[in-house]
């Protein structure tokens, strides 16, 4: 199938614009973070499920730094829309699902992370954390757009299957979602044990809850992604599981996140222990993405470099 | 002694131990991704061991190149398995007990609950209780004197148990699969080549499970018809397909052939076996005309050395015909070796390939004559000649030339070697795994169980209505999420509103 060069060019432009908009959003978040005061007690309680509150929480007029923070959030949404547009154009130009090489995979992963972040912003009063959450996403996007960039092109025969649509998107989206608890767990580790430290960060409890709720959504999805991969592997490679390096590291990552869920229910592991495990899971995800694709050679070597 | 056993069992089944074992499992699985593995690429393991001296030898002895078959890996997952069973049995027991238990009584002091609201209403306590029961339809309820206690979210534990039992089931099926499965690979010439799953000697390589001896393979036969490949301009393949015919089961007796379109991602499934198209390459055909006028034609697969351009190397070997003396025959064998370029690219005389499809293919051949060493009992590659024989001078290079289709090369003794044709070969894999269907079922149960247990929350609500002296009724609502507190607040607020009907004091 021929590649539509015009659409591919539009896709690249949108990608770059999204990067620029994300960068701008980070600056706005940073301004808010720098110029706002530490949250008042009442605000900190809202996340913890304040008892006896039936009425809606009182709203006070936003301060200037809050307005800037809201602009940051709006920019994040705009960036996500441009980002989505870039993926759609990529898919249309190549006439296939736009996650057939590492550049596209990374792009989808980051989009999933940004969307997760936007949802979390709507649910928790944690907007200012954007200054910590967006930079790793931006770095991944930048690496994706430069080092890993691949021209829009059809994929090789082994990838021509509807399982490409299912398996890769599910894995990529769940990995993107898992990026967020990775970052919030790091923040938890910074904050935990000393609520006076980093007064502008939300309480350790809110951070822990954010990590847990996101992980709890992403983990079943990740599991489903691995299983879809196994079903595809059975059709494409002749076995559903063969300890290919990528499969192995995905298995290890799965075990680590399973350990996270257990640790959160085990005395002595709750809190710091669990947070460390979540960070380890995130590190394994990144390792699986870069090292296994670029250095180790296996059946999953579709980096397109 | 019983105390020791009991403590060991308790230790093994504790969550802490399970966590440690999970970490150990993760840690132990990692080398399999970082080091070459015998099951995936034995040649790379040899290379690694040779490069790393004593360190490589040590890793080899400790089983680091076959991690998933080592006793230490097995020890970890068996311990984890035992720990899991030990954890699941009491939980299942507990689960069935709880299924019949009533919700716990309303605690004395509801204001101590994480969620608590109260209001004075102009209703009788009985009406308040009735309203609460209505609001909590679908909950498991128990009513007491002026109180309602309700609990919901039992599915969480159901999902949890389903997940863990499915995990056990998956592991057991996986292990059984390793016993009774096999995998065999074979190269078959396209345009009429046949393969039958009659025994392991029909395969080029065969990997049996622990309980497979190769005597009881399900018989079926395939015949490879036309093979076609499609490429982009840059040589990237777009698709491979082989038109095959196959017979299995009763068709074998009646010699009936059924057609099938074999493609990557589209295996043939027949009677518990799967047939896969893994790859393809080229088979050049050469005709050797010997000095006495006799002709021999041979075509055997050559090995692609460049995966993009499919430049292939190989060795096509001939015995002189009509020679009865084995000594003479052995010393006059001929091998045509060299490079096949499907689409030739010539730099002066140096041949290479620039594209994987066949466009006036050419070969650059070295013809050897002498003793090929095929009779000395040692195995040799079908893709190359025995270099030792060349080094010992028992096999000599007698000609070198680039040949297009139909061209020939004449040797000093009058022998002629003609390059006739190029055909496709396909590499096939037959896989047999009787338990993979069960693995799939358990995998689906794993996702379902996991989804349910991580989204459903176990939570409790209590309502107490107390008559006041002034004729009004104090209604208190308390709530507790038994697992993760997050997200219960909204539901509780909604419930409390329904019970208190917005009539706040």
């Amino acid at each position: 199938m021929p590649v539509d060069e015009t659409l591919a060019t539009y896709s690249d432009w949108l990608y770059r614009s999204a990067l620029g908009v994300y960068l701008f959003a980070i600056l706005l978040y940073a301004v808010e973070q720098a110029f706002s005061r530490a949250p008042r007690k009442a605000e900190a309680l809202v996340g913890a499920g304040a008892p006896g509150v039936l009425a809606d929480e009182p709203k006070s007029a936003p301060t200037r730094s809050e307005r800037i923070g809201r602009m940051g959030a709006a920019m994040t949404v705009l960036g996500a829309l441009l980002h989505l547009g870039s993926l759609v154009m990529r898919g249309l130009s190549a006439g296939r699902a736009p996650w057939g090489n590492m550049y596209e995979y990374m792009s989808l992963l980051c989009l999933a992370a940004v969307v997760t972040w936007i949802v979390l912003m709507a649910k928790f009063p944690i907007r200012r954390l954007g200054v910590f959450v967006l930079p790793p996403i931006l770095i991944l996007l930048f690496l994706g757009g430069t080092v890993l960039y691949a021209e829009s092109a059809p994929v090789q025969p082994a990838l021509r299957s509807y399982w490409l649509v299912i398996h890769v998107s599910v894995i990529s989206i769940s990995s993107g979602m898992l990026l967020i608890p990775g970052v919030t767990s790091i923040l938890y580790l910074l904050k935990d044990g000393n609520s006076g430290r980093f007064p502008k960060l939300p309480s350790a409890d809110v951070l822990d809850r954010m990590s847990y709720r996101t992980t709890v959504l992403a983990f079943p999805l990740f599991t489903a992604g691995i299983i879809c991969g196994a079903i595809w592997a059975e059709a494409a490679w002749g076995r559903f599981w063969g300890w290919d390096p990528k499969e192995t590291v995905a298995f290890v990552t799965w075990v680590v996140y399973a350990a996270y869920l257990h640790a959160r229910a085990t005395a002595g592991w709750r809190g710091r222990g669990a947070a460390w495990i979540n960070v380890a899971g995130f590190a394994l995800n990144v390792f699986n993405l870069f090292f296994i694709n670029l250095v180790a050679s296996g059946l999953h070597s579709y980096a397109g470099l | 002694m019983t105390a020791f056993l009991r403590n060991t069992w308790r230790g093994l089944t504790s969550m802490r131990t399970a966590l440690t074992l999970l970490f150990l499992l993760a840690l132990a699985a990692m080398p399999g991704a970082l080091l070459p593995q015998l099951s995936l690429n034995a040649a790379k393991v040899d290379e690694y061991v040779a490069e790393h001296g004593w360190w490589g030898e040590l890793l080899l002895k400790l089983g680091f190149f076959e991690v998933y078959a080592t006793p230490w890996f097995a020890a970890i997952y068996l311990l984890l398995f035992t720990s899991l069973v030990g954890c699941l049995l009491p939980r299942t027991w507990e689960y069935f007990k709880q299924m019949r238990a009533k919700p716990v009584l309303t605690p004395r002091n509801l204001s101590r609950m994480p969620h608590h609201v109260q209001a004075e209403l102009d209703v009788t306590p009985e009406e308040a209780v009735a309203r609460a029961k209505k609001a909590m339809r679908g909950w498991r309820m128990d009513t007491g004197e002026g109180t309602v206690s309700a609990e919901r979210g039992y599915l969480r534990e159901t999902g949890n148990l389903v997940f863990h039992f499915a995990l056990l089931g998956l592991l057991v099926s996986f292990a059984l699969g390793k016993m009774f499965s096999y995998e065999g690979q074979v190269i078959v010439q396209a345009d009429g080549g046949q393969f039958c799953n009659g025994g392991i000697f029909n395969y080029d390589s065969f990997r049996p499970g622990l309980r497979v001896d190769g005597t009881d393979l399900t018989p079926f036969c395939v015949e490879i018809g036309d093979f076609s490949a499609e490429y982009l301009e840059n040589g990237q393949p777009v698709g491979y397909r082989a038109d095959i015919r196959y017979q299995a089961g009763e068709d074998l007796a009646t010699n009936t052939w059924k057609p099938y379109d074999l493609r990557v991602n589209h295996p043939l499934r027949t009677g518990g076996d799967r047939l896969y198209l893994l790859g393809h390459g080229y088979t050049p055909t050469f005709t050797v005309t010997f000095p006495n006028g006799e002709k021999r034609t041979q075509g055997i697969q050559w090995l692609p050395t460049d995966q993009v351009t499919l430049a292939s190397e190989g060795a096509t070997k001939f015995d002189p015909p009509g020679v009865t003396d084995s000594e003479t025959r052995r010393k006059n064998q001929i091998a045509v070796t060299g490079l096949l370029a499907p689409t030739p690219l010539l730099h002066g005389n140096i041949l290479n390939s620039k594209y994987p499809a066949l466009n006036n293919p050419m070969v650059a051949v070295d013809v050897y004559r002498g003793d090929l060493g095929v009779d000395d009992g040692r195995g040799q590659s079908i893709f190359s000649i025995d270099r030792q024989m060349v080094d010992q001078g028992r096999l000599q290079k007698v000609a070198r030339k680039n040949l297009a289709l139909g061209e020939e090369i004449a040797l000093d003794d009058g022998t002629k070697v003609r390059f006739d044709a190029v055909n496709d070969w396909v590499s096939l894999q037959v896989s047999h795994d009787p338990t993979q269907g069960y693995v799939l079922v358990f995998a689906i149960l794993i996702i379902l169980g996991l989804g349910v247990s991580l989204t459903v929350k176990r939570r409790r609500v209590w309502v107490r209505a107390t008559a006041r002296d002034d004729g009004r009724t104090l209604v208190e609502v308390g709530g507790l999420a038994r697992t993760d507190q997050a997200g219960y607040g909204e539901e509780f607020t909604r419930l409390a509103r329904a019970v208190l009907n917005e009539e706040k004091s």
Side-chain angles (χ1 to χ4, degrees):
Chain A
M1 196 180 303
V3 170
D4 189 325
E5 298 293 344
T6 322
L7 286 180
T9 314
Y10 287 155
S11 163
D12 291 351
W13 285 347
L14 284 169
Y15 188 85
R16 273 173 230 148
S17 326
L19 250 72
V21 173
Y22 286 146
L23 184 62
F24 187 46
I26 291 174
L27 293 178
L28 292 171
Y29 286 130
V31 168
E32 187 192 20
Q33 178 77 352
F35 291 101
S36 67
R37 278 160 293 131
R40 286 151 290 144
K41 276 262 152 36
E43 197 180 329
L45 269 176
V46 170
V53 181
L54 271 184
D56 294 322
E57 45 185 298
K59 285 204 173 83
S60 50
T63 65
R64 172 175 293 183
S65 64
E66 268 177 351
R67 275 204 294 272
I68 291 179
R70 284 183 190 175
M71 276 167 65
M75 282 298 136
T76 313
V77 175
L78 175 66
L81 290 174
L82 293 170
H83 193 163
L84 177 69
S86 135
L87 265 181
V88 172
M89 293 284 180
R90 192 33 105 116
L92 290 176
S93 81
R96 59 172 168 79
W99 40 83
N101 56 45
M102 215 171 145
Y103 158 71
E104 295 164 5
Y105 177 89
M106 193 88 96
S107 179
L108 178 65
L109 186 150
C110 290
L111 181 63
V114 172
V115 170
T116 310
W117 174 243
I118 292 172
V119 172
L120 279 177
M121 271 198 301
K123 284 192 169 258
F124 292 90
I126 39 90
R127 185 181 58 229
R128 285 193 313 248
L129 291 186
V131 71
F132 302 106
V133 171
L134 282 191
I137 301 178
L138 193 67
I139 290 170
L140 285 182
L141 280 173
F142 181 75
L143 288 176
T146 50
V147 186
L148 306 174
Y149 183 77
E151 297 286 343
S152 183
V155 290
Q156 50 169 297
L159 290 180
R160 292 178 173 257
S161 162
Y162 55 90
W163 286 109
L164 172 72
V165 182
I166 305 168
H167 162 64
V168 183
S169 65
V170 172
I171 284 283
S172 165
I173 288 171
S174 57
S175 303
M177 287 170 75
L178 287 171
L179 184 145
I180 306 289
V183 175
T184 49
S185 293
I186 292 173
L187 294 176
Y188 175 92
L189 289 171
L190 291 176
K191 176 84 181 178
D192 180 51
N194 187 349
S195 55
R197 196 164 44 178
F198 306 107
K200 287 178 182 177
L201 288 182
S203 73
D205 191 46
V206 171
L207 288 168
D208 174 55
R209 206 120 40 77
M210 278 171 58
S211 311
Y212 178 70
R213 289 188 75 177
T214 319
T215 309
V216 148
L217 278 181
F219 183 68
L221 207 57
F222 186 59
T223 311
I226 293 177
I227 289 171
C228 290
I231 297 174
W232 187 9
E234 193 271 340
W237 299 330
R239 81 289 181 293
F240 63 88
W241 193 267
W243 299 107
D244 179 62
K246 192 101 187 169
E247 292 171 357
T248 304
V249 178
F251 168 75
V252 172
T253 312
W254 188 86
V255 169
V256 167
Y257 278 108
Y260 167 78
L261 293 178
H262 286 93
R264 228 175 147 280
T266 307
W269 278 92
R270 216 171 275 137
R272 288 190 81 78
W276 274 114
I277 300 174
N278 202 313
V279 173
F282 174 55
L284 274 168
N285 244 333
V286 173
F287 175 80
N288 204 359
L289 182 56
F290 286 98
F291 185 84
I292 298 298
N293 270 31
L294 301 179
V295 184
S297 71
L299 291 167
H300 277 87
S301 303
Y302 297 125
L305 295 179
Chain B
M1 186 60 195
T2 31
F4 171 74
L5 282 176
R6 192 175 57 229
N7 287 339
T8 311
W9 178 250
R10 275 195 194 149
L12 186 61
T13 56
S14 76
M15 189 71 115
R16 216 167 268 268
T17 312
L19 261 181
T20 315
L21 287 171
L22 275 175
F23 285 130
L24 274 178
L25 184 68
L27 198 65
M30 264 325 252
L34 303 177
L35 294 170
Q37 296 292 298
L38 284 167
S39 61
L40 298 177
N41 196 336
K44 261 195 173 169
V45 174
D46 294 342
E47 202 178 298
Y48 188 95
V49 173
E51 264 177 34
H52 290 78
W54 68 271
W55 172 241
E57 291 290 339
L58 183 68
L59 288 178
L60 184 68
K61 277 207 186 94
L62 293 177
F64 275 87
F65 301 109
E66 40 180 350
V67 170
Y68 312 107
T70 54
W72 44 269
F73 192 75
I76 295 171
Y77 71 70
L78 285 177
L79 277 176
L80 192 61
F81 197 88
T82 318
S83 165
L84 185 54
V85 172
C87 182
L88 279 181
L89 290 179
R91 270 179 84 165
T92 314
W93 176 245
E94 194 61 26
Y95 174 76
F96 284 110
K97 265 199 330 202
Q98 285 206 353
M99 286 316 269
R100 277 173 303 177
K102 286 177 178 168
V104 286
L105 292 176
T106 311
R108 191 160 302 165
N109 191 350
L110 279 183
S111 60
R112 284 236 192 107
M113 289 296 135
H115 302 273
H116 174 254
V117 207
Q118 64 180 48
E120 283 188 23
L121 304 179
D122 285 320
V123 293
T124 65
E126 290 74 33
E127 284 170 337
V129 167
R131 190 189 282 173
K133 282 170 82 172
K134 205 175 136 204
M136 282 174 284
R137 188 167 297 167
W139 290 60
R140 183 175 301 182
M141 266 185 288
D142 192 28
T143 35
E145 188 71 23
T147 67
V148 180
S149 45
E151 185 159 354
R152 182 168 214 182
Y154 292 85
L155 262 184
R156 182 188 183 91
E157 186 64 6
T158 314
N160 205 322
L161 289 176
V162 165
F163 166 76
H164 283 103
F165 276 112
L167 197 62
L168 284 181
L170 186 133
L171 290 175
V172 171
S173 327
F174 187 80
L176 284 177
K178 289 278 160 263
M179 299 273 169
F180 298 105
S181 64
Y182 64 80
E183 228 176 59
Q185 275 134 12
V186 62
I187 285 178
V188 182
Q189 304 299 330
D191 309 314
Q194 285 193 3
F195 164 78
C196 282
N197 191 33
I200 59 172
F201 292 112
N202 293 359
Y203 287 100
D204 297 336
S205 72
F206 189 77
R207 253 205 310 221
L210 300 169
R211 304 299 298 266
V212 174
D213 59 6
T215 53
D216 202 18
L217 310 185
T218 321
F220 70 89
C221 287
V222 290
E223 186 189 274
I224 312 300
D226 190 36
F227 173 86
S228 58
E230 203 189 320
Y231 303 97
L232 293 180
E233 258 171 53
N234 64 4
Q236 184 192 329
V238 175
Y240 306 125
R241 70 193 309 157
D243 288 327
I244 65 165
R245 301 193 302 160
Y246 73 100
Q247 45 184 220
E250 287 175 6
D251 294 345
L252 285 165
T254 58
N255 200 21
T256 319
W257 292 92
K258 287 185 182 142
Y260 192 80
D261 170 30
L262 191 67
R263 294 189 309 259
V264 179
N265 275 317
H266 190 235
L268 167 69
R269 293 169 193 276
T270 163
D273 293 297
R274 289 114 58 201
L275 178 78
Y276 296 87
L277 176 63
L278 288 189
H280 82 114
Y282 292 115
T283 300
T285 307
F286 296 97
T287 298
V288 177
T289 311
F290 290 88
N292 62 4
E294 284 210 61
K295 287 182 182 180
R296 285 291 179 272
T297 301
Q298 278 225 52
I300 191 161
Q301 60 264 33
W302 282 23
L303 185 72
T305 46
D306 185 318
Q307 292 307 321
V308 180
T309 65
L310 288 185
S312 309
E313 286 174 17
T316 309
K317 300 166 188 175
F318 294 86
D319 261 354
V323 181
T324 43
D325 176 31
S326 67
E327 183 75 5
T328 320
R329 184 179 62 81
R330 190 162 61 84
K331 289 189 170 162
N332 287 291
Q333 293 167 321
I334 285 179
V336 183
T337 69
L339 181 103
L340 165 72
T343 299
L345 174 70
L346 278 167
H347 275 294
N349 248 345
I350 310 295
L351 178 69
N352 213 329
S353 173
K354 63 177 176 188
Y355 194 70
L358 289 176
N359 292 304
N360 305 314
M362 280 182 80
V363 282
V365 292
D366 286 336
V367 180
Y368 286 84
R369 190 173 54 215
D371 185 353
L372 290 171
V374 286
D375 302 328
D376 66 0
R378 289 183 304 129
Q380 64 169 264
S381 166
I382 59 164
F383 297 117
S384 59
I385 49 170
D386 189 349
R387 278 282 136 201
Q388 240 175 307
M389 301 312 258
V390 182
D391 294 341
Q392 292 170 3
R394 291 154 76 182
L395 187 60
Q396 279 123 20
K397 191 196 290 184
V398 285
R400 153 171 272 184
K401 200 179 173 189
N402 292 343
L403 301 177
L405 281 177
E407 289 184 345
E408 61 181 15
I409 178 172
L411 308 187
D412 49 7
D413 64 353
T415 307
K416 286 176 186 159
V417 177
R418 194 175 67 221
F419 175 38
D420 291 327
V422 180
N423 290 307
D424 291 289
W425 56 257
V426 293
S427 91
L428 302 177
Q429 174 173 312
V430 174
S431 305
H432 176 84
D433 183 349
T435 62
Q436 69 168 10
Y438 300 102
V439 172
L440 179 63
V441 170
F442 286 122
I444 291 168
L445 285 176
I446 279 180
I447 300 179
L448 291 179
L450 200 57
V452 167
S453 80
L454 290 180
T455 47
V456 173
K457 282 181 200 59
R458 184 83 173 269
R459 65 262 192 217
R460 290 172 171 169
V461 181
W462 295 279
V463 178
R464 170 175 287 128
T466 328
R468 305 289 293 246
D469 296 339
D470 57 2
R472 288 157 68 88
T473 298
L474 175 69
V475 182
E476 285 180 280
V477 188
L480 172 71
R482 291 193 57 196
T483 38
D484 170 45
Q485 293 283 337
Y488 180 44
E490 293 146 38
E491 187 190 11
F492 177 79
T493 307
R494 214 171 42 242
L495 270 174
R497 274 198 181 133
V499 173
L500 302 179
N501 211 6
E502 303 274 35
E503 293 178 26
K504 282 173 287 177
S505 53

